[in-house]
Amino acid sequence: MTEGQRKIAFVVCLTTMLLAVLDQNIVSAVTVPVVQDLDPAHGIDRVPWLISAFALASTAVLPLYGKLCDTLGARRVFLSAVAAFLVGSALCGAAQSMEQLIAFRAVQGIGGGGLMSVTMVVIAQLKAGTPADGSDGAGKGGRGDGGKGRGGNGGAGIGGLVAGAGMALGPLLGGVLADHADWRWVFYVNLPIGLAVLAAAAAVLKLPQHHGTRHRIDFLGAGLAAAFSTSVLLVTEWGGKEYAWGSPTVLGLITASALLLGLFVWRQATAAEPVLPLSLFRIPVLRISFALQALIGTALMGSMIYVIIYLQLVRGIAATHASLFLLPMAAGISVIGVVTGKLTARGWPQKTFIVAGTAVSAAAMGILATLGTDTSLWIVGTALLLLGLGFGQLLGQLIQLTQESAPPRQLGVATTGIRFFQSLGGALGASLFGTVLARVYEAKGPGGSASRIAALSGEAHTQAIGAFVTSVDTVFACAAGAMVVALLLAIRLRVPRP
């Protein structure tokens, strides 16, 4: 590749990452319009599935992508992932029911998982200028500096900024489209951007082919991971709502989850090339990083969804204006991301930012847990600014720390592993928080589903709004608790000096 082609390819990769993160978060701004259009009676209760379908599908395929890049080449897998994402986007835009939309979001998630993980492999190969030569899908050049730990900081910083911008600006774009066009355009807008990415990548992306040992793909291990994730998600979604906690269905799912987890661990211990080698968990930094990423994914997913729903349902703010409240979060992520990147490059320890980021995020969640029906919107904006300053210190840091701590031959599976735990945490967080909200509302509300709040009037509407605020506060308190646990884990990190 020429230097010009390499620069274009790098822009294509960043655009692809932004597209993936935007789409994962853009739906939070249009949940109310979607519910009103497709299922006004029960739609709010199904919002967690709408979010989780994308996250769970992307989680299920994540362990495969590194090995597929080894076997088929990163270019071919990248193009296939973008194509799958576009097919899912087109289907979502044409959905005629909540059930269809949830199913099509899963199709979209299969491609979306590849957009992030495979793009990281492509960037690593672009920066290294050599084909992947390890069994991990990213090769020894995956750090971006030929194997040195700190050299990849620039790429991690830019990637973190792109991811942060997508998390914060996705709902804003969704709100504009929902208010001035139609909610279906949050999916259709992906098509021209994705087609441009496909065309540019096909034209300029010329990655060297891997000619080393052919690697086995652990489809059984990936399938067991997907089955375990799905069964746990069903437990959190159905337990105490669709079925009693002591019902045969829920108890059967809990038993199945434990059995699937055991089978997955056995498979990873015996497979020739496991999708998530157990040896990674013997490294203390990686073990704690995986747990941290799962907790961060859980807390972030809950905050993004329910801030927007609170502003629209409780405060009566239109989708576009509600999404504007995420601009302070975007500003916080961008500013602190730049500062963190520069200080890390100067030798500041990553643990400093991980501890500070989890602490600030926990404080922001604590503030959001005090929201009322007439809380000053300045307080909401301040809490979101703090949330941006907190998460901005975390974005990219754990991935970079993982890449620095993993053995070179396991760099790709370690990177994929931390993305796996983040996606799994996000999927379970959306489901768990949705269950918490539904339970609290049922206990405090006037009866019926929270989806019917807009149809109520008088005293019943006032009581429903108060119950919904209590429910949302409980969700934010749970998210704050998750970040406190993350803070305790961050304090225990023992990062080796370079």
Side-chain angles (χ1 to χ4, degrees):
M1 294 177 64
T2 65
E3 186 61 27
Q5 289 175 327
R6 201 174 296 276
K7 290 180 179 178
I8 294 174
F10 190 68
V11 172
V12 167
C13 288
L14 293 181
T15 303
T16 305
M17 292 175 62
L18 180 61
L19 186 64
V21 180
L22 274 174
D23 198 82
Q24 191 170 359
N25 295 278
I26 197 172
V27 177
S28 63
V30 297
T31 49
V32 174
V34 166
V35 165
Q36 293 172 346
D37 184 21
L38 297 182
D39 190 356
H42 305 288
I44 289 291
D45 296 333
R46 295 178 178 177
V47 165
W49 279 107
L50 183 62
I51 305 300
S52 298
F54 183 97
L56 184 59
S58 63
T59 300
V61 297
L62 266 173
L64 287 176
Y65 275 116
K67 295 297 183 181
L68 287 174
C69 287
D70 271 338
T71 304
L72 304 177
R75 179 181 184 274
R76 188 181 303 177
V77 178
F78 177 82
L79 294 176
S80 299
V82 174
F85 178 79
L86 294 181
V87 170
S89 297
L91 290 173
C92 286
Q96 299 300 311
S97 67
M98 283 292 287
E99 291 79 7
Q100 288 184 11
L101 184 57
I102 290 170
F104 295 152
R105 280 284 284 173
V107 175
Q108 193 183 36
I110 292 174
L115 296 192
M116 290 296 291
S117 58
V118 179
T119 300
M120 292 179 184
V121 177
V122 172
I123 290 177
Q125 293 191 14
L126 287 173
K127 295 179 71 175
T130 59
D133 57 359
S135 63
D136 46 60
K140 294 179 181 178
R143 285 179 169 85
D145 64 341
K148 298 176 182 178
R150 297 282 178 186
N153 184 57
I158 294 175
L161 287 176
V162 170
M167 289 176 186
L169 299 180
L172 175 60
L173 177 59
V176 171
L177 293 173
D179 286 344
H180 301 288
D182 185 88
W183 65 264
R184 298 179 186 275
W185 279 99
V186 304
F187 301 109
Y188 288 145
V189 73
N190 295 331
L191 301 181
I193 300 174
L195 290 173
V197 166
L198 271 179
V204 305
L205 198 60
K206 301 175 182 178
L207 300 178
Q209 293 297 313
H210 178 69
H211 298 296
T213 304
R214 301 287 290 182
H215 298 286
R216 300 176 184 177
I217 300 176
D218 185 15
F219 287 108
L220 177 58
L224 289 171
F228 165 72
S229 304
T230 303
S231 62
V232 172
L233 183 63
L234 289 173
V235 170
T236 58
E237 176 64 22
W238 285 354
K241 182 179 179 183
E242 300 291 338
Y243 304 94
W245 284 105
S247 67
T249 300
V250 174
L251 292 178
L253 283 171
I254 293 174
T255 302
S257 300
L259 179 61
L260 288 166
L261 178 60
L263 289 173
F264 176 73
V265 173
W266 167 80
R267 177 62 182 176
Q268 299 314 287
T270 58
E273 295 187 30
V275 293
L276 190 61
L278 298 182
S279 59
L280 294 177
F281 293 91
R282 300 193 192 103
I283 303 174
V285 172
L286 296 185
R287 190 166 59 241
I288 294 178
S289 295
F290 288 158
L292 276 173
Q293 197 78 325
L295 289 167
I296 291 168
T298 299
L300 182 59
M301 184 63 69
S303 62
M304 294 296 292
I305 297 171
Y306 292 107
V307 164
I308 297 297
I309 294 179
Y310 163 82
L311 291 171
Q312 293 184 59
L313 277 184
V314 178
R315 310 306 292 266
I317 300 174
T320 301
H321 293 140
S323 300
L324 290 174
F325 279 84
L326 295 180
L327 289 180
M329 183 176 177
I333 290 173
S334 300
V335 171
I336 201 67
V338 171
V339 173
T340 300
K342 290 182 178 297
L343 293 179
T344 303
R346 293 180 180 178
W348 282 52
Q350 292 162 311
K351 180 178 177 178
T352 300
F353 303 110
I354 294 174
V355 171
T358 51
V360 173
S361 298
M365 293 293 184
I367 295 174
L368 290 174
T370 65
L371 295 179
T373 56
D374 56 355
T375 299
S376 170
L377 295 178
W378 284 102
I379 294 179
V380 178
T382 300
L384 290 174
L385 174 62
L386 284 175
L387 197 60
L389 292 173
F391 280 117
Q393 296 180 71
L394 300 171
L395 290 171
Q397 292 292 330
L398 287 172
I399 292 178
Q400 182 189 341
L401 181 60
T402 296
Q403 292 178 335
E404 293 176 358
S405 304
R409 62 184 178 82
Q410 294 181 322
L411 183 60
V413 289
T415 303
T416 303
I418 199 165
R419 286 280 305 147
F420 173 82
F421 283 103
Q422 179 185 12
S423 298
L424 181 60
L428 293 178
S431 176
L432 183 61
F433 289 161
T435 300
V436 169
L437 184 140
R439 302 299 179 277
V440 176
Y441 182 80
E442 288 172 2
K444 303 287 186 180
S449 167
S451 303
R452 303 184 64 85
I453 290 178
L456 300 176
S457 60
E459 182 63 26
H461 184 267
T462 301
Q463 182 183 355
I465 289 296
F468 188 80
V469 169
T470 301
S471 305
V472 171
D473 287 349
T474 305
V475 167
F476 287 129
C478 292
M483 291 310 301
V484 170
V485 175
L487 173 60
L488 296 176
L489 288 175
I491 293 174
R492 293 189 60 191
L493 267 176
R494 296 292 182 267
V495 182
R497 294 186 177 275

